[in-house]
Amino acid sequence: MPHVDFATLPGTARAWVFAASRKLRPAERDELLTGVDRFLDGWAAHAVPLTCSRDWRYDRFLVVGVDEAAAGVSGCSIDALTHLLQEVERRFAVTMLDHGPVLYRSGNAIRRESRKAFGALAETGQVDLDTVVFDNTISTVAALRAGEWETAARGTWHGRAFFGVAPPPLSPSPGS
């Protein structure tokens, strides 16, 4: 049962977020998702099928999730996904694998800026700690569901990098 509905993945499932450099047109989106679904139907690590899924948000974010309880992803299986997305990049003249730019909300629009440009916006007050950013570094489906992906900059690496906000204190470990 490799390719499942995204809603059925457990919170512990590993997640990757790929942000398209622009909103995809409907025909591009349909072709992308058909190709990704076909890929996920056969995705395996060391010949063991992966229980996996994908989600598509705002016509530009592809989220891929894998339940590693039965079988974990391997370097080769991740490479295969990367190759698929490289082909998408070539076909549609869009980037999906560049994790450098900052994606954030400006009103209802989703904007994409280099880190340098976002830093300049922070310095001039055009973005602030309440600016909603997309933290594409989340690593689990639980983080996505908990709202840690699309959230105010203050609670993400963006807050530390661009506004000097200290990370929250570590919780003491049980028995300390």
Side-chain angles (χ1 to χ4, degrees), residues 4-115:
V4 298
D5 183 270
F6 195 85
T8 66
L9 287 175
T12 56
R14 191 164 169 191
W16 295 269
V17 180
F18 302 97
S21 54
R22 63 173 170 78
K23 191 174 179 178
L24 295 187
R25 293 182 286 276
E28 293 171 327
R29 176 203 60 220
D30 294 347
E31 188 174 331
L32 166 73
L33 296 179
T34 297
V36 169
D37 287 344
R38 191 176 315 117
F39 172 83
L40 295 178
D41 283 339
W43 201 18
H46 305 293
V48 177
L50 295 172
T51 302
C52 56
S53 190
R54 60 95 180 146
D55 196 15
W56 180 245
R57 296 182 179 207
Y58 307 123
D59 284 325
R60 71 185 306 163
F61 295 98
L62 174 67
V63 182
V64 175
V66 176
D67 180 1
E68 294 188 292
V73 295
S74 65
C76 292
S77 59
I78 293 170
D79 286 348
L81 176 61
T82 299
H83 292 308
L84 171 73
L85 294 176
Q86 287 171 333
E87 179 56 35
V88 167
E89 289 181 327
R90 282 189 292 279
R91 181 152 176 78
F92 301 135
V94 63
T95 60
M96 296 202 63
L97 296 168
D98 182 1
H99 296 295
V102 175
L103 286 100
Y104 66 101
R105 286 199 176 275
S106 177
N108 288 329
I110 295 173
R111 304 248 186 255
R112 179 179 184 265
E113 300 287 349
S114 69
R115 290 183 186 202

